[in-house]
Amino acid sequence: MMPTRVYEKHNFESSLSGLKISSCGKQIPTSPVPLRSLAQRRGIGIGTAVKMQAFYSDAQYRKVLAHEFNVLTPENALKFGRLSLKRDRYSFKDADALIAFAEKHQMQVHGHTLVWYRNLPEWLTQGRWSRAELIAILQQHIDKVVSRYRGRIAVWDVVNEAIENDGSLRDSIWLRGIGPEYIAMAFRWAHKADPQALLLYNDYRSEEMNRKSEAVYQLVRTLKQQGIPIHAVGWQMHKGIKEPPDFQQIKANMQRLNNLGVEVQITEMDVGIYSGQGTYTEKLAAQADIYRDVMTICLESESCSAFITWGLADHHSWRPAFFGHPDAPLLFDKRYQPKPAYEALIDVLHK
Ligand code: G3I
């Protein structure tokens, strides 16, 4: 049975005057009704990925986070390489802090991620392991982390980015050392550790109809046929205005996943504007259109249960460091002013 998730009523519901932040005496206008209230009324979660440095050091960041979102994804704090610097030694300090914050503000936690080819501990990548040893390492990791937060982390990205763009399985320590069955094993172990958690396969460039999304579809279909507890597919949706997504294809893909009996979540959305055409204002409008259209598809679908952005404000985005150029891909600018993309989401959630 599919676990149920409730986007709890939160204590900002009655805050009809908009967000008031007293930083240097400045007030920041957002919607009179925050995103999370509107999303909750529409029956979906709305979230963002959280960076530790901003979380610890910036009160304004924490305020916008709690006010606008009801889902929180630790951007890096739950990755294997962050949790375990030495074998059998774990530090949950950052993850604990985020989860306590989420609970205080009635936010759901989206756990990211249990099995990935990146961000692994050095003790693991530098070691030489037999298949049995690798299986034991992965099983112990999943069991330790999922059990610790049993009942507190509602959703897990169990396996992240296991498929290449051409549809083949991605080379990784797990594929090489264990074989393709590591994917099914991971879902079984996660389910055993928390039978109530919603378990996702999460990937990028897999929302339109292409070789990769076909491979994701076939993977999910096979896992379901084998009785493996997989409940949802995560579409990361790292997009850009230069190549807007094909919304008909996204709808068709959403429908076929829905027909398999799995949910879809938008797990890491951002929309780069760096290489797009037009003035800055036009680029922000094009960006808003993409956010709006993806949210519309999510709301129209029976199976889309959450919409999560990969970072809160533009200066938190991973993109500049990764691509080597500036960008402004998120809902808020670096002064936490809501952008046209924010207004577009408010607008579409209101309708
Ligand atoms: O915190 C250190 C800092 O102390 C140091 O000075 C700096 C020097 O490089 O590195 C900082 O850590 C970086 C960290 O991001 C903090 O932002 C790491 O090097 C860097 O590897 C890490 O990158 C993260 C990346 O995943 C790899 O784990 C990004 O933040 C994060 O946004 C990105 O997220 C991924 C998702 O997990 C999966 N989907 C794609 C998405 C974007 O790549």
Side-chain angles (χ1 to χ4, degrees), residues 75-92 94-95 112-126 137-138 141-142 145 156 173-174:
E75 184 168 339
N76 293 307
L78 283 168
K79 289 173 180 171
F80 201 166
R82 287 291 175 103
L83 288 175
S84 175
L85 295 180
K86 290 193 178 150
R87 191 165 187 197
D88 298 325
R89 296 278 294 275
Y90 278 71
S91 168
F92 290 102
D94 289 345
H112 175 80
T113 173
L114 295 169
V115 191
W116 196 21
Y117 73 99
R118 285 183 68 189
N119 224 305
L120 295 166
E122 267 184 27
W123 63 258
L124 172 60
T125 53
Q126 317 256 304
I137 288 169
L138 188 57
H141 173 66
I142 291 174
V145 179
W156 274 106
I173 190 170
W174 311 117

Side-chain angles (χ1 to χ4, degrees), residues 182-199:
Y182 82 87
I183 296 176
M185 289 172 172
F187 278 94
R188 280 213 177 95
W189 296 327
H191 184 64
K192 190 162 176 236
D194 186 350
Q196 293 308 311
L198 187 92
L199 305 183

Side-chain angles (χ1 to χ4, degrees), residues 233-252:
V233 169
W235 291 346
Q236 296 185 6
M237 301 209 76
H238 297 292
K239 294 292 173 193
I241 59 169
K242 195 178 172 202
E243 290 173 34
D246 181 322
F247 295 103
Q248 292 312 318
Q249 289 191 23
I250 294 178
K251 277 187 194 176

Side-chain angles (χ1 to χ4, degrees), residues 46-305:
I46 184 126
T48 193
V50 175
K51 263 197 158 44
M52 293 319 300
Q53 203 198 349
F55 176 80
Y56 283 135
S57 65
D58 187 344
Q60 206 168 353
Y61 176 88
R62 293 193 297 274
K63 194 147 191 175
V64 179
L65 174 64
H67 185 80
E68 295 288 345
F69 299 97
N70 60 10
V71 178
L72 177 164
T73 305
E75 184 168 339
N76 293 307
L78 283 168
K79 289 173 180 171
F80 201 166
R82 287 291 175 103
L83 288 175
S84 175
L85 295 180
K86 290 193 178 150
R87 191 165 187 197
D88 298 325
R89 296 278 294 275
Y90 278 71
S91 168
F92 290 102
K93 178 178 155 281
D94 289 345
D96 284 353
L98 289 184
I99 291 160
F101 179 89
E103 288 173 344
K104 184 172 170 202
H105 297 284
Q106 293 89 48
M107 304 170 82
Q108 188 179 82
V109 181
H110 184 113
H112 175 80
T113 173
L114 295 169
V115 191
W116 196 21
Y117 73 99
R118 285 183 68 189
N119 224 305
L120 295 166
E122 267 184 27
W123 63 258
L124 172 60
T125 53
Q126 317 256 304
R128 287 170 65 89
W129 311 100
S130 68
R131 182 172 185 273
E133 285 170 328
L134 267 185
I135 289 175
I137 288 169
L138 188 57
Q139 180 170 15
Q140 280 160 19
H141 173 66
I142 291 174
D143 184 52
K144 186 170 186 76
V145 179
V146 178
S147 301
R148 179 183 180 89
Y149 298 116
R150 185 183 172 124
R152 300 176 71 200
I153 292 188
V155 182
W156 274 106
D157 291 336
V158 177
V159 177
N160 192 46
E161 300 172 6
I163 297 175
E164 295 278 11
N165 291 343
D166 68 2
S168 62
L169 281 181
R170 184 191 290 279
D171 182 45
S172 70
I173 190 170
W174 311 117
L175 184 66
R176 253 174 287 132
I178 299 176
E181 54 274 35
Y182 82 87
I183 296 176
M185 289 172 172
F187 278 94
R188 280 213 177 95
W189 296 327
H191 184 64
K192 190 162 176 236
D194 186 350
Q196 293 308 311
L198 187 92
L199 305 183
L200 271 76
Y201 174 78
N202 191 49
D203 216 324
Y204 60 88
R205 253 188 246 173
S206 56
E207 57 282 348
E208 290 166 73
M209 295 301 230
N210 53 36
R211 290 166 80 175
K212 186 169 191 169
S213 65
E214 175 65 22
V216 172
Y217 173 76
Q218 293 301 343
L219 173 69
V220 174
R221 198 163 76 110
T222 306
L223 291 173
K224 294 280 289 179
Q225 280 168 354
Q226 293 170 348
I228 304 298
I230 177 167
H231 311 121
V233 169
W235 291 346
Q236 296 185 6
M237 301 209 76
H238 297 292
K239 294 292 173 193
I241 59 169
K242 195 178 172 202
E243 290 173 34
D246 181 322
F247 295 103
Q248 292 312 318
Q249 289 191 23
I250 294 178
K251 277 187 194 176
N253 195 23
M254 182 88 79
Q255 187 59 52
R256 71 172 171 172
L257 289 168
N258 192 6
N259 293 344
L260 282 183
V262 290
E263 292 182 16
V264 171
Q265 299 207 337
I266 314 299
T267 52
E268 305 187 10
M269 186 154 179
D270 51 17
V271 181
I273 60 170
Y274 175 73
S275 52
Q277 296 288 318
T279 63
Y280 189 62
T281 305
E282 287 165 347
K283 288 179 176 184
L284 292 185
Q287 178 182 59
D289 285 345
I290 296 175
Y291 273 105
R292 178 191 293 106
D293 290 346
V294 172
M295 178 60 94
T296 302
I297 292 176
C298 181
L299 291 171
E300 284 174 355
S301 158
E302 290 163 41
S303 62
C304 181
S305 52

